[in-house]
Amino acid sequence: VPSSPFTLRNGPRQSMNLGFLIVIAGVLAAAAGVSAFAPPRSARTVRPAAATKLSASTYENGYGYDDGTTATRDDLVAIADAYAPRDVYSMEQWARQNGAQTVDGVELYSADGGSDWGLIHNGQSTVPAGSPVVYVPSDLVLSSDAIKEEFGGSLEAAENELVQLDGNTERRLPLFRLMVKLMAEYDEGTDSVYYPWLNSLPRQFYNGVSMTDECFECLPPYAAKLSLEEKNMYSQFVGAIRDGFVPVEETTMNDDGIVSWAYNVALTRFHEVWYPSRQKYIAPMADMLNHSSEPNVEITFDTEGNCIVLALHDIQPGSPLTISLGDPTNPTPLFAKYGFLCHDCHTVFCKAVHLESQIQDLGYNYVDLLFDAQSGEVAPKVWDVFLYQLLEDNDPASAEQFCLACKANDETTKQEYHDHYFAYTLDALQRHVYSTMEDVGRRTVKARSYDMSTHPRAHVIVAHNDMVRDAFAATASVLEQMG
């Protein structure tokens, strides 16, 4: 049997040679729910019991963070300092000492000088498709189910209040548990087993939850809608926490900076699984993987809760390791949730949020309603939605027939309607494109007027708006050529 061309690193200066059969066994075991890369028990970190809380009198009020205050204990993560260096290398050492493993050559890297970090394969050999790239033992993984068991009745009381206020929050309870756990571990300071990981996390976020009222004035309607939905969910979580049910210090739960940080960490770093039960995980080290529209790895969990990152295809040396965080055809939801722009997206949603009822009537989804960002081409279903809206306003009987044709995929009937009403549909679509460009332009001018030192998210908003403008300009050119 030929030996494996790579090794799994298990510790700062240790490596463990794995034969080809062991690698294949690991992949099969992951699929079967058993990891072949389980570390020796002596290396495992025991999951801590419910944290022993410090008295609120041991805190001192600190300097401001947005509209809140942050405590200044020396042993706490410096969340208030948005520009504090992220100690990612201590996190890596901690993770490896506690059983995390990687293929030889996998390293932390930053393309922007230390603000944003990721993982890259800098080994000498190609990582074969289907083979494990990163392993994180379950004892290091934050699990929403385990958190529920750890905190028991106090967490349950807060969750019951959330569901009573809004039944839609029930599906977000796993996220709530991760948020509470992060706050509890923050309270522990350097006594927390997760302190090296917490100290490696970003302090500042650029997503919808972090947007101020001034930011919202600069967001186009679709981005504002998505951001506001997330911000409203965050507000409900905060209300449940501050009612005093959860085992978190009062000073911590009343600090807007800490609470926002905990929510954003949970929101932007979780991975959801549906089997054997629906829950959310955060796996330190694996959570360093960044997004790509063409990912080369995927995050999986076995039935014991161990995290195994697998290569989707052969990974060449020098390749960043990337996962998919969402729909690659529509970058705005990624912007609203994670606060970054996906520059390798080739399409954008047509932004027809004002036609939501028509979209639902036709049984379409936003993923169907795209403009090609380079060519300006308009997806066929975009034409359907705009024509259907025109027919609803002017000929309800024809609108009903056209709707039935769309649902039945009756392309012949659909084409007859499109041919007959093309000039009107084209005019409606052009007006939408030009009005969107005008609105985005006006909002971009406002964002550019902000002082970046007091509005650090303005530059991300400008970049998002410019992306929308450029895509719509390409579509406007295509439409002009049609008449």
Side-chain angles (χ1 to χ4, degrees):
V1 179
S3 62
S4 171
F6 60 89
T7 59
L8 274 179
R9 294 170 59 199
N10 183 25
R13 294 183 177 84
Q14 303 176 37
S15 65
M16 176 174 60
N17 291 318
L18 296 178
F20 182 79
L21 288 178
I22 295 180
V23 175
I24 297 300
V27 177
L28 296 176
V34 179
S35 172
F37 301 135
R41 289 193 177 276
S42 60
R44 294 194 174 206
T45 296
V46 178
R47 185 177 297 281
T52 303
K53 298 291 175 279
L54 295 170
S55 167
S57 63
T58 63
Y59 289 83
E60 297 177 358
N61 287 332
Y63 41 85
Y65 180 90
D66 285 345
D67 55 344
T69 58
T70 299
T72 57
R73 248 175 49 196
D74 290 341
D75 64 335
L76 296 174
V77 176
I79 293 172
D81 186 356
Y83 302 101
R86 297 173 57 186
D87 191 359
V88 296
Y89 292 112
S90 292
M91 179 278 296
E92 180 185 25
Q93 183 180 30
W94 162 81
R96 293 189 187 279
Q97 288 174 341
N98 288 285
Q101 304 173 50
T102 66
V103 167
D104 189 38
V106 170
E107 301 173 350
L108 290 162
Y109 85 105
S110 175
D112 63 1
S115 176
D116 185 37
W117 289 85
L119 294 176
I120 191 170
H121 169 46
N122 272 336
Q124 299 298 312
S125 304
T126 298
V127 177
S131 54
V133 183
V134 178
Y135 168 86
V136 183
S138 60
D139 293 317
L140 285 184
V141 174
L142 291 156
S143 156
S144 59
D145 281 2
I147 295 167
K148 179 181 179 181
E149 182 178 350
E150 176 184 345
F151 291 137
S154 61
L155 187 61
E156 183 178 1
E159 291 181 355
N160 288 339
E161 178 174 307
L162 267 176
V163 174
Q164 288 175 3
L165 287 173
D166 183 353
N168 292 326
T169 59
E170 186 169 5
R171 64 185 179 85
R172 305 294 295 273
L173 292 182
L175 179 67
F176 180 71
R177 295 164 192 165
L178 290 173
M179 177 186 180
V180 171
K181 175 66 172 175
L182 284 160
M183 295 172 66
E185 294 298 330
Y186 168 86
D187 275 345
E188 288 297 290
T190 53
D191 289 336
S192 167
V193 70
Y194 291 104
Y195 180 83
W197 173 64
L198 297 176
N199 202 36
S200 74
L201 296 171
R203 273 68 160 173
Q204 184 159 267
F205 294 84
Y206 301 88
N207 57 357
V209 173
S210 305
M211 298 289 179
T212 63
D213 290 343
E214 290 82 0
C215 291
F216 273 92
E217 293 177 5
C218 304
L219 291 175
Y222 179 48
K225 172 179 178 289
L226 296 176
S227 298
L228 187 60
E229 288 173 356
E230 200 64 57
K231 203 171 183 73
N232 288 340
M233 183 62 65
Y234 164 72
S235 297
Q236 291 177 351
F237 280 14
V238 173
I241 287 172
R242 289 180 175 169
D243 279 346
F245 294 115
V246 299
V248 175
E249 282 291 338
E250 183 176 353
T251 308
T252 297
M253 70 174 64
N254 287 325
D255 188 306
D256 292 330
I258 298 171
V259 176
S260 175
W261 170 82
Y263 183 87
N264 277 318
V265 169
L267 177 68
T268 60
R269 306 184 92 81
F270 78 79
H271 184 85
E272 190 164 39
V273 300
W274 298 85
Y275 180 84
S277 65
R278 183 192 177 202
Q279 62 173 312
K280 287 180 168 63
Y281 290 112
I282 300 179
M285 191 72 171
D287 69 329
M288 301 297 289
L289 294 164
N290 286 323
H291 169 83
S292 172
S293 296
E294 298 178 352
N296 54 15
V297 298
E298 66 175 343
I299 297 176
T300 68
F301 289 86
D302 62 24
T303 55
E304 294 182 353
N306 301 302
C307 175
I308 304 164
V309 179
L310 299 174
L312 291 172
H313 52 74
D314 290 354
I315 302 175
Q316 303 299 322
S319 301
L321 301 179
T322 57
I323 57 175
S324 173
L325 291 173
D327 179 11
T329 67
N330 189 4
T332 298
L334 293 172
F335 165 70
K337 180 175 180 179
Y338 295 101
F340 69 83
L341 285 178
C342 184
H343 295 290
D344 55 354
C345 286
H346 303 299
T347 54
V348 298
F349 170 55
C350 69
K351 315 299 180 188
V353 291
H354 63 294
L355 301 180
E356 181 69 34
S357 63
Q358 287 80 12
I359 294 170
Q360 292 181 0
D361 285 350
L362 296 176
Y364 292 170
N365 297 305
Y366 284 4
V367 70
D368 302 316
L369 309 174
L370 304 174
F371 293 160
D372 188 291
Q374 280 75 45
S375 70
E377 183 180 357
V378 180
K381 291 184 177 180
V382 175
W383 293 98
D384 292 348
V385 170
F386 277 84
L387 174 54
Y388 179 55
Q389 190 265 335
L390 287 170
L391 292 173
E392 276 195 321
D393 289 347
N394 298 282
D395 188 349
S398 293
E400 183 177 354
Q401 292 301 315
F402 181 73
C403 182
L404 292 173
C406 290
K407 290 182 176 180
N409 294 318
D410 182 353
E411 296 299 330
T412 300
T413 301
K414 285 173 56 179
Q415 191 60 48
E416 291 175 355
Y417 276 99
H418 279 299
D419 290 343
H420 188 70
Y421 293 102
F422 175 74
Y424 301 99
T425 311
L426 176 61
D427 178 67
L429 190 50
Q430 284 181 316
R431 284 187 281 109
H432 167 69
V433 168
Y434 285 120
S435 65
T436 299
M437 292 173 62
E438 181 181 355
D439 179 65
V440 168
R442 184 171 58 253
R443 294 175 187 276
T444 302
V445 169
K446 188 174 186 64
R448 291 186 190 277
S449 71
Y450 290 163
D451 182 345
M452 294 297 174
S453 64
T454 55
H455 294 85
R457 299 164 189 89
H459 74 281
V460 183
I461 295 173
V462 168
H464 169 268
N465 291 0
D466 285 348
M467 175 198 68
V468 174
R469 177 206 62 202
D470 291 346
F472 273 60
T475 296
S477 178
V478 169
L479 296 178
E480 287 174 1
Q481 296 174 22
M482 290 181 176

